[in-house]
Amino acid sequence: MRPSSRPARNETKKQRIDSEPLEYLSRFSTGIVYDVRLRFHAPLDSDTEQLENPQRIWKIFKAIQDDGILTKCVRVSAREATTEEILLVHSAKYHETLTSSADLSIQELKNLASTYNSIYLNNESARCARIASGGVIELCRTVYKGVVKNGFAIIRPPGHHAGPDGPMGFCLYNNIAIATKYLQEYHKAKRILIVDWDIHHGNGIQKVFLSDPNVLYFSIHRYEESKFYPYETSAAHHIVGEGEAKGKNINVPWPCSGMGDSDYLHVFNNILMPVAYEFSPEIVIIAAGFDAGAGDRVGDCLVSPAGYAHMTYMLKSLAGGKLVLALEGGYDIDVASTSALACVKVLTGEDPPALESLVPSTKCVEITQKVIQTQSKYWEALQSSSLQISYLNSEISSARLLHRETLSKERSELLMDEYGLLKLPINGSNVPDLFREEVFYSGLTNATDVIVIFIHDMNNPENFSQQESDLINGVNKFVGKVLAKNWELIDINIPSLDGFQDDDKAIVDRLFMHIWNRYIRPTSTKLVFVATGYGAVSITNLITNSDIESKESYFVMIPGTEIPNVPINKSTWYKENSYVLVHPVSIELNGSDSSYGALHPYGVRTELPLNTLKRFDQQILDQIVNWIGHR
């Protein structure tokens, strides 16, 4: 006897979306699809362990129910997808084969399943697959029509691997592809964004929409040169779509395991969100696999529930908030349920939790740059010209550009080739490229004790005196010493300019504040700021205009003639946490007010002009590194 389709006893009539008028439902914001019948898709042998098992959806629904968040949601009833709807994606032959499995013997079921890739079947599997697809259709329909604002479909079997001609990787029907085609066919949807954050590439979804210019498919997945499931080269970053749909397929293929929140959010900030705003979708559908979650041994990555919450929060800003999550993978049921709950909380209006760090790994930055380079020909948002910010509504003089190019070329080669640093992406900082090009970072993934933020200024190398050459050598040696200590590093050089004016200073402050907000402030790691010249002034401006005193922060300052100071209410804290190296004459001229920090005479030859006394000699280098190490 087949299981009854009768609703669970705790489902009241008013909770079911097909039982109430739209006026009643308007007060609800988030729809939830969950059908107990989907648990009947299970292995034939009860003692056989399967990663994709009925417990997955039950544990997610229970987590939402136990948290109490379900009271803020409305239940959207699932139904079986019709043959007409399924044929929008799948071939008639495959649909007939799967449908007929309901009448097969146990041995015939095993034989049929063995002809496919990573599939099991029982007599209820085809029906469950139709219900899963129908559930996603109904949720997408109600969100698209504005009946509910957003929603989560807790369904199985999953779907993003299933292709037109057959199943694959636990997936029977391609639930999201069918729902997307349904919106196009029956509701004339013009622009649909599908975001696939499952750790596996959604090769089935990609195949269906590869030549469709009205569907933007965006997938972040492990690839490892096609050595990770589904082992297909179609998951590579250079697969961009076909014909008029070129640029509408964006793959971000991770080259390794271990990718975490900062990596995913880096990709969101620098690729997905800029492109999505340009695409302007009418609805966003997430292939919500949670197998990249920290603790899932299949994905072996490090995304936290808070990370999933942040990604959901960002995607809520698109399409007027019309957002649907449909469950795909996620094989540690505790990880999946906790992550899904975090997403549902965001759907219902809660803010995502704070994150500890937003500094992406080296591998993340490398693949992000490759994807941007490949996709920039199709998206203005990724083209460098669209990211150019006019320099105070005037042109940068050719003399400034020449100075920048001379310095940047020499030092960039040293930092990237010898020290392995990368350019820190700072799109959206509202500063010209003249300043963007001088920001580097280490990208070390195993350095969690200290982040050193090094901000300094150097002059045009064509006019270096010996003392100024000593400064550059010292600056570069300091970088080497920081990396040798296995500390993380953000290196900000104030570019060589033909006369450093107040406008230039304002740009440096703007750049530094942007780096603080995006990369430094979210971390809980100990922070050490090291600065020379105007960099010291910029840091004291940050202290004045931020809550930096709430962080574990320390400061090494080597200013010029002027000793920058901080507000009186922060002076005691600043003095206790600073090491300010200045010329003895500067101390005599300025005094030793606590707002200047803990002053230490800078031991250099007194016959040199005060404004050149910023070089890093070996003694000073050792003092700074030792001071940092003892914080």
Side-chain angles (χ1 to χ4, degrees), residues 21 102 169 212 258-259 304 324 429 454 459 466 481 519 546:
D212 188 337
M259 311 305 278
S304 70
V324 170
S429 59
F454 187 26
N459 295 315
Q466 180 58 49
K481 285 182 174 288
Y519 294 107
S546 73

Side-chain angles (χ1 to χ4, degrees), residues 473-526:
N473 291 334
V475 163
N476 294 337
K477 286 180 180 178
F478 178 71
V479 170
K481 285 182 174 288
V482 168
L483 297 178
K485 290 286 187 179
N486 212 27
W487 296 330
E488 291 193 20
L489 172 70
I490 297 177
D491 181 283
I492 308 164
N493 178 51
I494 299 171
S496 170
L497 299 175
D498 186 16
F500 193 62
Q501 306 297 324
D502 287 343
D503 289 342
D504 303 311
K505 295 174 183 179
I507 291 174
V508 171
D509 290 343
R510 207 156 59 235
L511 170 64
F512 193 46
M513 182 62 74
H514 174 82
I515 294 171
W516 160 257
N517 284 325
R518 172 166 287 190
Y519 294 107
I520 304 173
R521 188 175 185 272
T523 185
S524 60
T525 306
K526 180 166 64 179

Side-chain angles (χ1 to χ4, degrees), residues 232-490:
E232 295 181 4
T233 56
S234 62
H237 76 281
H238 55 78
I239 305 300
V240 299
E242 298 175 350
E244 294 182 358
K246 286 185 177 179
K248 300 299 172 59
N249 193 88
I250 303 177
N251 287 327
V252 181
W254 293 141
C256 59
S257 60
M259 311 305 278
D261 294 344
S262 57
D263 302 308
Y264 277 75
L265 292 176
H266 179 78
V267 169
F268 267 54
N269 283 321
N270 290 280
I271 304 177
L272 174 55
M273 297 309 293
V275 167
Y277 281 121
E278 183 176 336
F279 181 65
S280 188
E282 297 174 337
I283 187 172
V284 180
I285 306 173
I286 302 176
F290 296 105
D291 38 8
D296 190 303
R297 290 179 293 178
V298 173
D300 196 21
C301 281
L302 301 171
V303 180
S304 70
Y308 283 116
H310 276 267
M311 290 189 284
T312 303
Y313 184 82
M314 294 171 74
L315 292 172
K316 273 182 66 179
S317 68
L318 302 169
K322 292 182 178 180
L323 178 64
V324 170
L325 283 74
L327 183 65
E328 291 289 348
Y331 305 107
D332 183 297
I333 59 175
D334 292 323
V335 171
S337 59
T338 305
S339 300
L341 175 61
C343 294
V344 172
K345 286 184 175 181
V346 170
L347 293 179
T348 58
E350 294 189 20
D351 292 331
L355 293 173
E356 292 187 357
S357 174
L358 288 179
V359 180
S361 66
T362 302
K363 296 293 186 182
C364 170
V365 173
E366 289 175 350
I367 194 60
T368 300
Q369 291 172 342
K370 286 182 180 179
V371 174
I372 290 175
Q373 184 177 4
T374 299
Q375 293 284 347
S376 60
K377 66 183 72 173
Y378 309 111
W379 299 99
E380 289 186 6
L382 301 181
Q383 295 168 6
S384 58
S385 59
S386 70
L387 300 176
Q388 301 281 346
I389 305 297
S390 62
Y391 180 51
L392 300 176
N393 298 319
S394 66
E395 293 184 357
I396 301 174
S397 69
S398 59
R400 286 187 172 195
L401 288 174
L402 178 61
H403 292 170
R404 193 265 293 177
E405 289 170 1
T406 305
L407 176 61
S408 180
K409 185 174 185 296
E410 286 189 10
R411 192 155 192 275
S412 293
E413 289 177 355
L414 174 72
L415 295 181
M416 291 191 289
D417 295 344
E418 294 192 23
Y419 292 128
L421 299 188
L422 296 167
K423 288 189 177 180
L424 184 70
I426 47 176
N427 297 338
S429 59
N430 195 26
V431 299
D433 279 353
L434 176 65
F435 291 79
R436 296 168 186 257
E437 293 298 314
E438 302 293 346
V439 185
F440 296 83
Y441 88 114
S442 60
L444 296 177
T445 58
N446 60 338
T448 57
D449 294 337
V450 177
I451 296 179
V452 175
I453 301 94
F454 187 26
I455 178 168
H456 48 85
D457 54 358
M458 295 186 290
N459 295 315
N460 181 6
E462 294 179 352
N463 301 320
F464 280 159
S465 65
Q466 180 58 49
Q467 289 74 35
E468 290 164 329
S469 295
D470 288 344
L471 170 62
I472 282 207
N473 291 334
V475 163
N476 294 337
K477 286 180 180 178
F478 178 71
V479 170
K481 285 182 174 288
V482 168
L483 297 178
K485 290 286 187 179
N486 212 27
W487 296 330
E488 291 193 20
L489 172 70
I490 297 177

Side-chain angles (χ1 to χ4, degrees), residues 141-202:
R141 179 183 66 82
T142 54
V143 170
Y144 186 78
K145 290 179 62 178
V147 179
V148 293
K149 190 168 186 178
N150 54 48
F152 194 115
I154 311 169
I155 49 90
R156 60 179 293 276
H160 72 152
H161 292 308
D165 298 319
M168 180 181 181
F170 306 139
C171 303
L172 300 185
Y173 288 134
N174 200 313
N175 309 312
I176 287 175
I178 292 171
T180 300
K181 286 285 191 179
Y182 172 89
L183 291 178
Q184 291 179 313
E185 181 74 16
Y186 297 103
H187 296 281
K188 308 307 177 186
K190 301 297 183 184
R191 296 177 308 280
I192 300 174
L193 169 60
I194 301 173
V195 177
D196 192 338
W197 68 41
D198 190 283
I199 198 62
H200 304 96
H201 180 239

